[in-house]
Amino acid sequence: MIALYPDAANVDPETKRVLDVALEMTRISLRLEDDFANRMIAKQIIEIAKTGERNPDLLCEGALKKLREGLYGD
């Protein structure tokens, strides 16, 4: 799924796998299944991954936090 995003095109296969796992974990946590939601989640995960994070659990947590901040203004 992450491979659809230009920023992720130049990363190694293991990083793509980690990003996909984090995307799936976040999507399930939010109970979202549409393409729009996937793009929003992927964008957040990729931004966090650019900082060097490669742990899917932490990528998921970070994406959830950013998405919730956007929704609730925390």
Side-chain angles (χ1 to χ4, degrees):
M1 287 185 189
I2 294 288
L4 299 173
Y5 303 95
D7 289 347
N10 297 322
V11 298
D12 62 90
E14 177 60 14
T15 299
K16 285 182 183 180
R17 186 194 68 76
V18 168
L19 296 174
D20 284 339
V21 169
L23 174 64
E24 185 69 10
M25 291 169 62
T26 307
R27 191 184 60 74
I28 289 169
S29 293
L30 295 172
R31 297 185 179 131
L32 298 172
E33 297 184 21
D34 60 46
D35 287 338
F36 178 74
N38 287 342
R39 285 187 175 89
M40 286 188 345
I41 294 166
K43 180 179 177 187
Q44 298 304 320
I45 290 171
I46 290 168
E47 289 302 312
I48 297 165
K50 284 181 180 179
T51 69
E53 183 58 63
R54 292 299 182 266
N55 181 319
D57 292 321
L58 296 177
L59 290 167
C60 174
E61 287 176 25
L64 288 170
K65 181 180 178 190
K66 286 180 169 249
L67 291 164
R68 287 181 179 133
E69 286 173 357
L71 289 173
Y72 303 114
D74 291 348

